[in-house]
């Protein structure tokens, strides 16, 4: 009995400790289940939820729930990322010697070597394909970019790569990469690719190309200055030309009017001449003599010596008024009367 009583006394505490352990274990399990039953997505992220091997993309930011130990969640960064191609800085981020100089060395269509550095930017567009379509989509993109870069650079001359053809080269490379990414369909998209630097392999060649570029810039400056001077001078020349044309037109009209007036005057004189040709001839002769020889006195004798007239009439009037006995008005009218009588 003593042994039985002892068992009863010790059995009650053992049952309570077992119950407490179960409770603690249950709480731990619940905590683990609760901790694995939700996940959150940031603005710059997307998630891939895999249920029994079937992936599904979750693109809405915020808090989401999942089935613990059944659904597996993988987050994918969807911000724009980038990498260098052929960037020659001597060492990498860890201080190790950089061997990307081989990626930068390329050959042009005119068989010249050149160093060209690129920077490519990309982002994830389909998180499921980015995780499962390839092991490393960024590396696939880099290999595609290197292939497209070498193919494109090989179709341009060294002058174009170093100077004027950079924009066209970048555009062609970008389009070629986009076409290949569409074929591979690995869930990422190229945002942009740019030429960081392009230099000849030797310092002498690089200096020569710099001199060529300086000469081209000088040429552009000279052309711009010449165009500026031309644009300034053309309006002045056009204004001067218009002024000359207007003056010529005015002079022409003046000459036409003067000629028309002279022709009208001549026609009028001719009409009078046609009426009295002899009188007109004499009158024109007298007027011409007065113009040519203004200081010469002309004496005109009438028939029978009765009438004598002296020209010019002013001097004749002043000198001969008393001798003839007539007044000045009568003497002035006398030549015309004589002409009419003749």
């Amino acid at each position: 009995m003593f042994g039985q009583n002892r068992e009863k006394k010790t059995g009650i505490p053992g049952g309570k400790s077992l119950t407490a352990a179960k409770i603690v274990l249950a709480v731990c399990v619940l905590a683990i289940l609760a901790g694995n039953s939700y996940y959150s997505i940031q603005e710059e992220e997307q998630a891939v939820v895999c249920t029994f091997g079937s992936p599904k993309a979750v693109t809405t930011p915020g808090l989401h729930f999942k089935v613990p130990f059944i659904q597996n969640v993988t987050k994918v960064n969807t911000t724009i990322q980038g990498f260098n191609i052929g960037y020659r800085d001597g060492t990498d981020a860890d201080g190790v010697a950089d061997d990307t100089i081989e990626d930068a060395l390329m050959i042009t269509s005119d068989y010249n070597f050149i160093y060209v550095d690129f920077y490519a930017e990309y982002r994830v567009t389909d998180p499921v394909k980015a995780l499962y379509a390839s092991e490393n989509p960024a590396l696939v993109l880099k290999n595609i970019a290197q292939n497209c870069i070498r193919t494109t650079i090989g179709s341009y001359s060294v002058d174009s790569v170093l100077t004027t053809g950079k924009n066209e080269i970048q555009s062609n490379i970008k389009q070629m990469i986009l076409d290949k990414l569409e074929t591979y369909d690995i869930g990422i998209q190229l945002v942009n690719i740019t030429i960081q630097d392009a230099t000849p392999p030797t310092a002498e060649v690089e200096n020569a190309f710099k001199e060529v570029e300086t000469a081209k810039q000088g040429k552009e400056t000279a052309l711009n200055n010449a165009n500026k001077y031309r644009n300034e001078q053309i309006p002045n020349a056009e204004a001067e030309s218009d002024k000359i044309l207007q003056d010529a037109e005015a002079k022409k009209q003046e000459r036409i009017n003067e000629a028309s007036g002279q022709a009208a005057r001549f026609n009028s004189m001719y009409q009078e001449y046609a009426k009295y040709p002899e009188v007109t001839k004499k009158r024109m002769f007298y007027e011409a003599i007065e113009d040519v020889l203004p200081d010469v006195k002309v004496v005109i004798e009438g028939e029978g010596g009765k009438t004598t007239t002296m020209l010019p009439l002013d001097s004749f009037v002043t000198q001969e008024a008393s001798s003839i006995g007539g007044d000045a008005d009568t003497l002035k009218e006398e030549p015309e009367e004589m002409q009419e009588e003749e």
Side-chain angles (χ1 to χ4, degrees):
M1 291 180 65
F2 180 78
Q4 293 177 355
N5 292 334
R6 185 177 179 181
E7 290 179 0
K8 291 179 180 179
K9 290 180 180 180
T10 58
I12 295 174
K16 290 182 178 180
S17 60
L18 181 60
T19 304
K22 291 180 178 180
I23 293 173
V24 172
L25 181 61
V27 171
C28 292
V29 171
L30 291 175
I32 294 172
L33 292 176
N36 290 322
S37 63
Y38 68 92
Y39 61 95
S40 62
I41 301 177
Q42 303 298 325
E43 289 288 342
E44 67 279 1
E45 293 179 335
Q46 291 184 5
V48 177
V49 179
C50 187
T51 306
F52 297 114
S54 177
K56 179 181 179 182
V58 179
T59 59
T60 306
L63 186 64
H64 300 269
F65 294 94
K66 66 172 184 173
V67 179
F69 305 108
I70 296 178
Q71 292 181 323
N72 184 26
V73 178
T74 303
K75 296 180 181 179
V76 179
N77 185 5
T78 57
T79 59
I80 295 178
Q81 305 175 66
F83 54 83
N84 295 303
I85 300 176
Y87 185 70
R88 295 170 288 117
D89 59 352
T91 59
D92 57 14
D94 298 329
V96 182
D98 190 5
D99 58 354
T100 56
I101 189 171
E102 296 181 357
D103 296 337
L105 185 61
M106 304 179 190
I107 187 170
T108 60
S109 62
D110 49 359
Y111 304 105
N112 285 297
F113 288 99
I114 188 173
Y115 290 119
V116 187
D117 304 334
F118 286 85
Y119 185 77
E121 296 176 308
Y122 70 95
R123 64 184 180 89
V124 175
T125 56
D126 190 331
V128 175
K129 293 180 181 179
L131 288 176
Y132 299 105
S134 64
E135 182 178 358
N136 190 345
L139 181 59
V140 175
L141 174 60
K142 186 173 183 179
N143 292 333
I144 293 174
Q146 288 177 340
N147 176 266
C148 295
I149 288 171
R150 293 187 179 278
T151 301
T152 304
I153 294 295
S155 62
Y156 284 86
S157 64
V158 66
D159 291 335
S160 299
V161 177
L162 290 175
T163 56
T164 58
K166 291 183 178 180
N167 293 331
E168 183 178 351
I169 291 172
Q170 291 175 172
S171 178
N172 292 340
I173 292 174
K174 181 178 179 180
Q175 187 59 46
M176 190 180 299
I177 294 174
L178 290 175
D179 294 340
K180 289 193 175 183
L181 282 178
E182 186 177 355
T183 302
Y184 283 96
D185 195 18
I186 56 177
I188 61 176
Q189 180 184 27
L190 179 70
V191 176
N192 194 21
I193 185 167
T194 56
I195 297 178
Q196 296 291 96
D197 192 17
T199 57
T202 61
E204 292 80 4
V205 178
E206 182 177 359
N207 292 333
F209 274 106
K210 287 182 179 179
E211 292 178 359
V212 171
E213 186 65 20
T214 302
K216 289 181 178 179
Q217 293 177 357
K219 172 187 173 183
E220 293 295 330
T221 302
L223 288 175
N224 292 334
N225 292 334
N227 290 330
K228 178 182 177 182
Y229 179 77
R230 181 192 64 183
N231 295 332
E232 291 176 353
Q233 294 300 319
I234 286 179
N236 296 333
E238 290 178 349
E240 186 67 21
S241 174
D242 292 339
K243 182 176 181 299
I244 293 174
L245 290 176
Q246 292 175 1
D247 293 343
E249 187 68 24
K251 193 69 176 178
K252 180 187 78 171
Q253 194 64 35
E254 180 182 354
R255 293 290 181 86
I256 290 175
N257 294 336
E258 182 179 357
S260 300
Q262 292 179 357
R265 179 172 175 272
F266 179 80
N267 291 332
S268 177
M269 292 177 62
Y270 179 75
Q271 292 176 359
E272 297 299 326
Y273 169 79
K275 295 178 181 179
Y276 308 99
E278 294 298 329
V279 174
T280 304
K281 287 180 181 179
K282 290 182 179 181
R283 183 177 183 86
M284 293 175 63
F285 173 76
Y286 297 151
E287 290 177 352
I289 291 300
E290 289 180 355
D291 292 337
V292 175
L293 304 172
D295 296 332
V296 175
K297 296 180 180 181
V298 179
V299 177
I300 302 175
E301 294 182 357
E303 295 179 357
K306 295 181 179 180
T307 303
T308 302
T309 303
M310 299 179 64
L311 297 178
L313 297 179
D314 292 338
S315 60
F316 174 77
V317 172
T318 55
Q319 295 178 2
E320 302 296 335
S322 58
S323 62
I324 296 176
D327 56 358
D329 295 335
T330 304
L331 293 175
K332 291 180 180 179
E333 295 175 357
E334 185 175 357
E336 295 182 359
E337 293 176 356
M338 291 174 57
Q339 294 171 0
E340 292 177 359
E341 291 176 358
E342 293 178 358

